[in-house]
Amino acid sequence: MTASLQVAISGIGLRPETDADLPFLQALYASAREREMALLTHWSAEEKAAFLASQFAAQRSYYRQHYPNASYDIIESNGEAIGRLYIADMPELLNLMDITLLPSARNSGLGTDLVRSLQARAEQEAKIVLLHVEEDNPARRLYDRLGFAEVGEITFYKRMHWVPSGLEEASARLAAEAARQS
């Protein structure tokens, strides 16, 4: 397992997730898709719950199959779980696989602080930060504001990266690779 992100935000901590966190993680996943589920007016609450459970299980399985050594952390505020942060540490980059906060923790600056902490780590380790985000995801504005650039598209996700100074050559290589995958 790769090292967790070091966070210097008052009252905020990260800890590795465990199986005991599964109910929280399922609820967190569902909260991130509330806007989408609200559009499915012809689905019953039971159908929506079944769909979300299956999608959560599929995502969890995919992440662990393709990123077995990633850090899968719970974000805590004063000891209470408020989100998740998944990072895969790779040779030239840090892949921000997922950052999700409970609705009550969103728009508080915490996401900004966490991504900036990841950028600081990337700067220290001379690595690029890579992520994928849906075009209409409100977090897209955050990534734009923090200097991430779009470098391609994979299905309905925008591929974005942030490059510390001095890594322009590696950035060009990743952009070319992304173009081939698009």
Side-chain angles (χ1 to χ4, degrees), residues 64-116:
R64 277 152 183 78
Q65 179 183 357
H66 291 90
Y67 303 99
N69 296 319
S71 334
Y72 296 96
D73 291 322
I74 297 293
I75 304 166
E76 294 183 323
S77 175
N78 299 310
E80 182 180 333
I82 61 165
R84 70 181 186 178
L85 179 66
Y86 297 168
I87 300 169
D89 189 340
M90 304 165 104
E92 291 185 327
L93 58 91
L94 296 171
N95 183 355
L96 176 55
M97 298 162 39
D98 195 291
I99 180 171
T100 306
L101 296 169
L102 286 174
S104 59
R106 295 178 196 152
N107 300 313
S108 66
L110 178 56
T112 299
D113 290 343
L114 289 167
V115 174
R116 283 187 177 145

Side-chain angles (χ1 to χ4, degrees), residues 41-56:
T41 56
H42 60 286
W43 283 18
S44 69
E46 294 78 20
E47 288 171 318
K48 290 177 185 180
F51 173 77
L52 289 169
S54 71
Q55 292 293 292
F56 171 77

Side-chain angles (χ1 to χ4, degrees), residues 19-176:
D19 287 344
D21 293 309
L22 283 174
F24 166 75
L25 290 166
Q26 283 186 300
L28 178 67
Y29 180 83
S31 78
R33 297 194 66 182
E34 282 176 353
R35 188 171 43 124
E36 177 186 356
M37 292 294 103
L39 299 174
L40 301 173
T41 56
H42 60 286
W43 283 18
S44 69
E46 294 78 20
E47 288 171 318
K48 290 177 185 180
F51 173 77
L52 289 169
S54 71
Q55 292 293 292
F56 171 77
Q59 182 190 66
R60 186 171 172 79
S61 174
Y62 177 86
Y63 281 163
R64 277 152 183 78
Q65 179 183 357
H66 291 90
Y67 303 99
N69 296 319
S71 334
Y72 296 96
D73 291 322
I74 297 293
I75 304 166
E76 294 183 323
S77 175
N78 299 310
E80 182 180 333
I82 61 165
R84 70 181 186 178
L85 179 66
Y86 297 168
I87 300 169
D89 189 340
M90 304 165 104
E92 291 185 327
L93 58 91
L94 296 171
N95 183 355
L96 176 55
M97 298 162 39
D98 195 291
I99 180 171
T100 306
L101 296 169
L102 286 174
S104 59
R106 295 178 196 152
N107 300 313
S108 66
L110 178 56
T112 299
D113 290 343
L114 289 167
V115 174
R116 283 187 177 145
S117 294
L118 184 60
Q119 288 173 309
R121 176 179 166 193
E123 189 92 51
Q124 286 180 319
E125 296 178 12
K127 292 185 176 188
I128 293 169
V129 179
L130 175 71
L131 60 84
H132 296 83
V133 64
E134 292 174 320
E135 180 68 38
D136 67 341
N137 185 327
R140 169 69 195 257
R141 291 187 308 276
L142 165 68
Y143 303 135
D144 288 335
R145 198 171 62 247
L146 293 178
F148 284 79
E150 189 176 319
V151 292
E153 218 173 274
I154 297 176
T155 61
F156 52 91
Y157 291 97
K158 301 296 181 183
R159 183 177 179 148
M160 301 181 80
H161 73 210
W162 177 83
V163 182
S165 59
L167 293 183
E168 291 78 13
E169 185 178 311
S171 171
R173 240 186 358 267
L174 283 173

